[in-house]
Amino acid sequence: MQEPAITSDLISAHGLSSSEYEEILNIIGREPSFTELGIFSAMWNEHCSYKSSKKWLRTLPTEGPQVICGPGENAGIVDIGDGQCVVFKMESHNHPSYIEPYQGAATGVGGILRDVFTMGARPIAAMNSLSFGDPTHYKTRQLVHGVVAGVGGYGNCFGVPTIGGEVRFHTAYNGNCLVNAFAAGIADTDKIFYSAASGIGMPVVYLGAKTGRDGVGGATMASAEFDDTIEDKRPTVQVGDPFTEKRLMEATLELMATGAVISIQDMGAAGLTCSAVEMGDKGQLGVKLNLEDVPQRETNMSAYEMMLSESQERMLMVLKPELETEARAVFVKWDLDFAIVGETIAEDRFLVMHHGEVKADLPLATLAGSAPEYDRPWIETPPAEPLAGVPNIDPIDGLKALLSTPNYAAKQWVYEQYDSQVMADTVRTPGLGAGIVRIHGTEKSLAFTSDVTPRYVMANPEKGGAQAVAEAYRNLIAVGATPLATTDNMNFGNPEKPEIMGQFVGAIKGIAAACIALDMPIVSGNVSLYNETDGTGILPTPTIGAVGLLKHSDDIIQGCAREGHVALLVGSTIGHLGQSAILAEVFHRSDGDAPDVDLVAERLHGNFICANAQWIDACTDLSDGGLALAAFEMAETAGTGFTLDACDTPTLFGEDQARYLIACTYDQAEALMVAAGNAGVPIASVGKFGGDHVSMGSSTAPLADLASLFRNTFADTFA
């Protein structure tokens, strides 16, 4: 097949600048072939090379006594004791999900699951963080339906419980929805598998499903803004098959038990190209591939198409040759492809052959390590203007305003489409705060949460980044878990705009400070940039996924508020309304600064909750909507009313940080008050639970009416 000539238009279509192409010419000393151009494009695009973000990602804290493996592998690994570890990561599938919502979201789930079981861990939990445009926008309904169905369709068929997440709406996402997928698995610490190849002349083996033309150029597409040619990008979206992935997982874990695996890598972004180059580079070896041996589901595929295809449910492995027969038998049993497609070589070469013809011959280490690294110009986000006066509103009217928007209404329409109980180890299901899953065969459990408040990050990236980590910390603390570590998904607009790069830098600084203060290192993550359409970017959205450990089932705080319970508020209330939910939903304003994040107070108050969990029946952290929304959600879940003493807007709806709401008996409240005094922790009685009405000051309404609004708003909007 005749390869096209390399032209400036072709170079641009591959997402490469003229200076980057000049660097390619310097590296190889000649004009690249078409296949080589595609390989460089795949390895050097933003999605794979992190060329705009590496400088700042290096400043994140990634180590700790609990960390077994930090960023750089398929997923992060954290020790949970007893010879076990949790393997987890969060990644974006934003651009594909906007182009083709069902498959984009589904393959996002499939990809993150492969990242986990590639390392030898059996997945036990999934989460997702979804951001959509205005509910009234013409495209939002289609995106919500497609994405939710894709997440549920893949996760449910694969058989992993979806136990948490978040859904938000804002006009800034009208042109770019965000789909961030999280997965976690359990492995034995002495049975972890890594991706670095070793040994010369070792077989390189292709595993899983056949290669097709779906997803060709997907990573490059994910590294560019959208414009009016968006429909032309539909073929770059992958197509997933969760039943094949389930078989691939079982076959991979069985294969690992044979001892045949030297190294193994998921074929994700940039497919065969990225997986082969990464394995060789990490092992300081070269790789030779023979593409005629690659299992193909379409005829007459070119070398370019095979190297850049992102067909799903595929893996690449370096095999111990003496165990080839045993390894092949495993994949034959599971009706999956097993093909030796190359070998490791001593030379620093990435040699790609097709029917005896050289299609690519590149220096592998340089290809992997020479991607441009930019120190993008950035400007600090200017300080927010002081918040102008916010009039007091009737508390019930304010609460109704929050409950009647899809942002703060119950999301059961979403999570009831997900199987949260498969595997029968789910302790706490979606909609109740952090999700909890038992570690089968032990007394331990793991808690999972996903958090970010984009409007805070927009107003003050550093505070907003810190707040995302702090809220994740509080969500874990509120169920009795000890926070272990985090993963991040950095969703931003065009980094070539100094103001956008400034948002990224500020958020990184805030995240780093909070992770250090709260002992929650970043062990894995993903950066998604160029989330813009026609020059309009998303809200900066650095999603934080966090994992916490519960050493015994007795440690879990999972009770409900009951009739006669006292409502205790831990933490100080100033009444911060800047960038608050009530400001946005009632007054349609987005002014003021993000709330201050006192990391010393966060740690102090978190330690207090954990040390005194025996006196706590129910607990939740305070975030969006402040005290009023937190009390309502706690009461509504339990089917009881509540009374709050306060009636002013700042006290009820302010979003001061480092705060928790506790439900407990009078005797327990006395014990907590004494303990808080000894620990120097602010605590106060703010009301009580009981009855069938919601009362704040002199304003009151039947719980049933508010509960109906809370439970029906989302479905009424999207069902």
Side-chain angles (χ1 to χ4, degrees), residues 119-208:
M119 302 199 74
R122 180 173 291 275
I124 63 165
M127 293 191 298
N128 52 83
S129 177
L130 312 177
S131 303
F132 299 104
D134 190 293
T136 64
H137 187 266
Y138 76 95
K139 198 170 175 66
T140 300
R141 180 183 175 85
Q142 172 211 356
L143 291 171
V144 170
H145 276 261
V147 166
V148 171
V151 169
Y154 204 103
N156 296 352
C157 294
F158 179 86
V160 62
T162 301
I163 48 81
E166 50 189 345
V167 185
R168 70 180 55 83
F169 299 88
H170 192 280
T171 55
Y173 304 105
N174 283 350
N176 287 82
C177 66
L178 302 183
V179 176
N180 295 174
F182 170 99
I186 297 296
D188 293 335
T189 54
D190 60 351
K191 295 181 177 67
I192 299 168
F193 290 81
Y194 297 99
S195 59
S198 64
I200 297 168
M202 297 295 108
V204 175
V205 183
Y206 175 113
L207 306 169

Side-chain angles (χ1 to χ4, degrees), residues 627-711:
L627 175 60
L629 188 57
F632 173 81
E633 289 178 345
M634 184 181 279
E636 195 275 340
T637 300
T640 184
F642 67 90
T643 299
L644 294 179
D645 302 327
C647 61
D648 62 292
T649 298
T651 302
L652 290 171
F653 297 102
E655 296 181 5
D656 306 290
Q657 301 297 294
R659 297 189 301 162
Y660 300 84
L661 184 64
I662 292 170
C664 59
T665 66
Y666 183 81
D667 289 344
Q668 290 170 328
E670 283 193 324
L672 286 167
M673 293 277 197
V674 171
N678 293 335
V681 172
I683 192 169
S685 173
V686 293
K688 61 182 180 180
F689 293 93
D692 57 6
H693 276 64
V694 170
S695 299
M696 292 178 280
S698 60
S699 184
T700 187
L703 174 67
D705 292 352
L706 296 175
S708 177
L709 192 63
F710 181 60
R711 291 288 167 184

Side-chain angles (χ1 to χ4, degrees), residues 374-559:
Y374 296 121
D375 186 1
R376 300 278 191 198
W378 60 278
I379 56 175
E380 193 168 329
T381 301
E385 293 292 329
L387 181 65
V390 178
N392 266 327
I393 57 171
D394 179 84
I396 294 297
D397 289 345
L399 184 57
K400 284 181 177 179
L402 296 180
L403 303 182
S404 60
T405 172
N407 271 317
Y408 303 109
K411 306 298 192 300
Q412 77 272 10
W413 183 87
V414 174
Y415 59 71
E416 285 177 359
Q417 297 185 54
Y418 307 150
D419 189 339
S420 61
Q421 300 286 354
V422 64
M423 298 175 70
D425 279 321
T426 302
V427 176
R428 190 177 176 98
T429 55
L432 299 172
I436 303 176
V437 174
R438 280 186 295 265
I439 301 173
H440 203 77
T442 76
E443 288 293 330
K444 296 179 294 189
S445 299
L446 288 169
F448 304 95
T449 186
S450 167
D451 296 286
V452 65
T453 308
R455 62 182 186 275
Y456 291 170
V457 189
M458 186 71 178
N460 190 319
E462 191 163 348
K463 285 185 181 180
Q467 191 276 339
V469 177
E471 185 173 346
Y473 172 85
R474 291 196 303 271
N475 278 330
L476 297 176
I477 292 290
V479 297
T482 300
L484 289 177
T486 54
T487 180
D488 61 355
N489 205 147
M490 306 292 288
N491 308 276
F492 289 80
N494 185 345
E496 296 169 49
K497 298 178 179 178
E499 65 274 17
I500 301 297
M501 197 63 208
Q503 293 172 350
F504 183 88
V505 172
I508 286 283
K509 290 180 178 180
I511 289 168
C515 287
I516 292 170
L518 302 176
D519 192 20
M520 297 169 68
I522 298 275
V523 298
S524 58
N526 172 250
V527 177
S528 174
L529 302 177
Y530 295 97
N531 290 290
E532 297 200 6
T533 297
D534 294 327
T536 300
I538 61 165
L539 293 180
T541 311
T543 310
I544 298 295
V547 178
L549 176 65
L550 294 134
K551 292 185 177 180
H552 196 279
S553 57
D554 292 343
D555 297 335
I556 301 173
I557 302 173
Q558 61 174 339

Side-chain angles (χ1 to χ4, degrees), residues 30-44:
R30 57 176 169 81
E31 186 176 88
S33 69
F34 180 57
T35 300
E36 288 173 333
L37 182 70
I39 288 171
F40 270 106
S41 169
M43 293 302 298
W44 283 16

